[in-house]
């Protein structure tokens, strides 16, 4: 289908504006992982216990749920690009606030503001990309959101590592006027600045322009992004016809017979919850702690965490190459099966851990098996649920409810992420193998859910959804 593009500058332009919109995903990945490196420094600096530190790590996710919940409405009121600019500014300001906290509580406040900005961006990116991308390329372009998330995670781990090395390996050491962990949190202002810059340069979504009566401008944008052989008048009247039956969607538009919501909205919510309940973020928030808990030293555990990020990026590229070829459903099911097997294997391996002279260790070959199984889990997640859920959420809802439904589904995802993040330390202390077995069970259930409820959206126009 790529042959439709008689002029490649069209496709290059579309790739540029979708990549720019997906920088919000980079902020999400960067912020969620940067705390991993700073957490020990914060705990020591403010002399707080594990409850307070868990609170500070997880509170950003509740801010994100709120940002995702309101982001869809703001996108319909202010436009997609203006909302991105607001999110970028909020994120930049919160980075400075996190860098210079007076106490652990105002640090928590700035984490909520950062979370709110990221929650907004997590809705704006997929919605905008789905609205500017031509159907033949929508899956691959929609994957940019997840690609940016995994790049953000990897870059923040690298930046943290460099800052820690410059500070002599201790995040509480001073680098100039500030401690190393403060520089880690402050570094977030750089990607925020890029996001703002790009949000100021990309065009508004044609669907939003038509919605707000600026048809002439919408035509110009469509001419930039659609293949040359598409009749622009047809496209505009098709979008107008769909929009005519619409008004700005609110939560009441999502009401339906299935426990108060439309079935398609529930499918989006459950996909979001499963994406988190397989435990993927445990690997990224607590991985260095996890590997230390089974007897691997601190330096090596940071290196293992970074290698997981590289595997995550490789898996994401595999997904991008396959999502428009084999479709959304088959990829999800392959991923679910692979995750279930690798998580169950990790659970079995962790069950062999022993306490020797007060330290936990994994005997061979279980140590190697646990490491391989954990990385296979990351790979299977990245090539399926990591990418495909974001692609589906951007395209599976009918036009008239897309922004509102995406907001609700993304909010569900953040709350699920929060629940897993908050519960893991206590569950792992009680029984690490059983915790992993629980994640394996969710992976198995996700396979059955996709088989029964999820419809294929590959190659269909957004106007046909519903």
């Amino acid at each position: 289908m790529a042959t439709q593009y008689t002029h490649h500058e069209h496709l290059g332009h579309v790739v540029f504006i979708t990549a720019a919109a997906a920088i919000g995903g980079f902020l999400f990945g960067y912020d969620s992982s940067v705390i991993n490196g700073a957490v020990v420094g914060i705990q020591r600096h403010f002399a707080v216990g594990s409850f307070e530190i868990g609170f500070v790590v997880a509170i950003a996710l509740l801010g994100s749920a709120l940002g995702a919940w309101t982001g869809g409405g703001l996108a319909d009121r202010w436009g997609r690009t203006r909302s991105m600019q607001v999110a970028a500014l909020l994120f930049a300001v919160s980075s400075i606030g996190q860098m210079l906290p007076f106490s652990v509580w105002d640090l928590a406040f700035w984490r909520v503001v950062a979370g709110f900005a990221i929650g907004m961006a997590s809705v704006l990116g997929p919605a905008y990309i789905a609205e500017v991308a031509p159907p033949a390329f929508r899956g691959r372009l929609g994957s940019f959101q997840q690609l940016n998330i995994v790049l953000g995670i990897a870059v923040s781990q690298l930046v943290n590592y460099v800052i820690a090395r410059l500070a002599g390996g201790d995040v509480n050491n001073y680098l100039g006027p500030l401690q190393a962990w403060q520089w880690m949190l402050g570094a977030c202002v750089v990607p925020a600045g890029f996001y703002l810059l790009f949000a100021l340069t990309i065009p508004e979504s044609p669907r939003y322009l038509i919605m707000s009566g600026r048809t002439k401008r919408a035509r110009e944008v469509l001419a930039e992004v659609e293949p040359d052989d598409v009749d622009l008048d047809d496209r505009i009247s098709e979008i107008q016809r769909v929009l005519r039956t619409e008004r700005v969607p609110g939560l009441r538009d999502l009401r339906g017979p299935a426990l108060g919501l439309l079935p398609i909205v529930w499918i989006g919510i459950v996909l979001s919850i499963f994406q988190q309940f397989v435990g993927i973020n445990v690997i990224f928030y607590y991985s260095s702690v996890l590997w230390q808990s089974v007897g691997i030293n601190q330096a090596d555990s940071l290196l293992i965490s970074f290698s997981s990020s590289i595997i995550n990026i490789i898996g994401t590229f595999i997904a991008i190459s396959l999502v428009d070829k084999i479709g959304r459903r088959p990829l999800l099911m392959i991923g679910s099966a692979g995750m279930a097997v690798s998580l169950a294997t990790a659970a079995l391996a962790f069950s062999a851990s022993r306490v020797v002279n007060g330290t936990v260790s994994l005997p061979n070959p279980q140590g190697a098996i646990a490491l391989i199984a954990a990385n296979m889990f990351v790979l299977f997640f990245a090539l399926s649920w990591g990418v495909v859920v974001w692609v589906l959420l951007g395209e599976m809802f009918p036009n008239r409810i897309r922004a509102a439904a995406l907001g609700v589904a993304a909010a569900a995802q953040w709350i699920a992420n929060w629940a897993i993040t908050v519960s893991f330390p206590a569950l792992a202390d009680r029984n690490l193998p059983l915790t992993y077995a629980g994640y394996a069970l969710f992976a198995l259930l996700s396979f059955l859910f996709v088989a029964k409820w999820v419809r294929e959206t590959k190659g269909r126009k957004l106007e046909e959804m519903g």
Side-chain angles (χ1 to χ4, degrees):
M1 287 184 85
T3 52
Q4 289 178 339
Y5 276 81
T6 47
H7 291 305
H8 279 301
E9 68 266 20
H10 267 334
L11 188 52
H13 183 64
V14 175
V15 168
F16 170 75
I17 60 179
T18 48
I23 293 175
F26 185 92
L27 296 185
F28 165 18
Y30 196 99
D31 186 74
S32 62
S33 183
V34 77
I35 197 74
N36 198 357
V39 90
V40 178
I42 295 165
Q43 195 165 1
R44 284 198 211 130
H45 182 72
F46 292 116
V48 291
S50 54
F51 168 77
E52 289 95 333
I53 208 70
F55 179 79
V56 169
V57 171
I59 190 85
L61 299 170
L62 294 182
S64 298
L66 193 63
W69 185 267
T70 53
L74 295 176
D76 283 335
R77 207 162 300 132
W78 300 341
R80 301 347 182 201
T81 52
R82 179 60 48 83
S83 301
M84 287 181 203
Q85 292 157 22
V86 170
L89 275 172
L90 281 175
F91 192 74
V93 171
S94 70
S95 301
I96 306 296
Q98 287 187 76
M99 182 173 162
L100 306 167
F102 302 107
S103 72
V104 76
W105 303 116
D106 70 299
L107 175 60
F109 168 75
W110 291 117
R111 298 268 307 143
V112 173
V113 176
F116 185 86
I118 291 165
M120 277 180 71
S122 74
V123 174
L124 297 168
Y128 178 87
I129 292 168
E131 289 178 351
V132 296
F137 297 94
R138 206 175 51 234
R140 273 163 285 180
L141 295 173
S143 310
F144 280 15
Q145 174 81 3
Q146 180 65 15
L147 177 61
N148 269 299
I149 293 173
V150 299
L151 287 172
I153 290 171
V155 169
S156 81
Q157 288 177 334
L158 211 52
V159 170
N160 280 356
Y161 177 71
V162 169
I163 291 173
R165 285 303 296 265
L166 289 173
D170 187 335
V171 292
N172 290 101
N173 285 348
Y174 278 88
L175 270 175
L178 303 175
Q179 292 184 7
W181 64 268
Q182 292 175 280
W183 289 114
M184 288 176 180
L185 295 176
C188 297
V189 79
V190 178
F194 277 112
Y195 188 40
L196 180 61
L197 195 67
F198 281 115
L200 289 165
T201 54
I202 58 178
E204 185 49 86
S205 140
R207 278 188 181 78
Y208 176 76
L209 290 168
I210 291 170
M211 199 195 292
S212 53
R214 287 140 69 194
T215 314
K216 183 165 173 284
R217 176 68 187 128
R219 191 192 168 86
E220 290 166 10
V221 177
L222 283 168
E224 292 171 17
V225 299
E226 290 284 355
D228 288 347
D229 59 358
V230 164
D231 185 326
L232 294 181
D233 294 324
D234 269 5
R235 278 301 278 126
I236 289 170
S237 54
E238 181 181 18
I239 294 170
Q240 280 171 332
R241 194 167 56 248
V242 171
L243 289 173
R244 205 167 296 132
T245 60
E246 294 182 13
R247 34 191 181 63
V248 172
L251 295 177
R252 62 182 172 281
D253 298 296
L254 307 182
R255 281 197 198 131
L259 295 174
L261 291 174
L262 295 168
I264 190 77
V265 179
W266 275 117
I267 290 172
I269 289 171
V270 176
L271 277 172
S272 289
I273 291 172
F274 273 132
Q275 192 205 43
Q276 298 301 322
F277 272 25
V278 294
I280 187 65
N281 281 313
V282 165
I283 295 278
F284 292 112
Y285 295 153
Y286 297 112
S287 55
S288 52
V289 182
L290 173 71
W291 295 118
Q292 285 168 58
S293 75
V294 291
I296 290 164
N297 72 40
Q298 193 174 6
D300 289 347
S301 72
L302 281 169
L303 208 57
I304 291 171
S305 299
F306 182 65
S307 68
S308 296
S309 283
I310 301 300
I311 289 166
N312 201 357
I313 293 169
I314 292 166
T316 303
F317 276 113
I318 295 171
I320 291 171
S321 67
L322 294 178
V323 67
D324 284 324
K325 289 196 185 83
I326 71 172
R328 285 54 160 162
R329 279 189 79 219
L331 262 186
L332 285 178
M333 290 165 81
I334 290 165
S336 293
M339 289 190 301
V341 171
S342 44
L343 284 166
T345 307
L348 277 172
F350 283 135
S351 68
S353 63
R354 300 276 173 270
V355 179
V356 183
N357 301 331
T359 59
V360 183
S361 71
L362 266 182
N364 276 331
Q366 279 88 346
I369 291 170
L371 197 54
I372 292 165
N375 279 326
M376 289 309 291
F377 163 56
V378 170
L379 181 67
F380 276 111
F381 177 85
L383 64 80
S384 60
W385 284 76
V387 166
V388 178
V389 171
W390 287 112
V391 172
L392 276 173
L393 290 180
E395 68 185 12
M396 68 190 270
F397 302 115
N399 260 353
R400 65 191 169 74
I401 63 163
R402 178 168 304 110
L406 228 172
V408 171
Q413 194 174 105
W414 289 110
I415 291 166
N417 185 340
W418 175 80
I420 291 290
T421 305
V422 155
S423 63
F424 176 76
L427 290 173
D429 280 352
R430 189 160 296 170
N431 193 327
L432 185 63
L434 199 59
T435 306
Y436 269 77
Y439 300 149
L441 177 64
F442 281 118
L444 181 63
L445 292 173
S446 71
F447 180 92
L448 302 173
F449 176 76
V450 173
K452 180 150 174 54
W453 296 105
V454 176
R455 286 172 58 194
E456 186 56 74
T457 53
K458 181 178 88 163
R460 292 166 63 199
K461 282 187 192 155
L462 288 185
E463 280 66 33
E464 295 169 14
M465 301 297 174

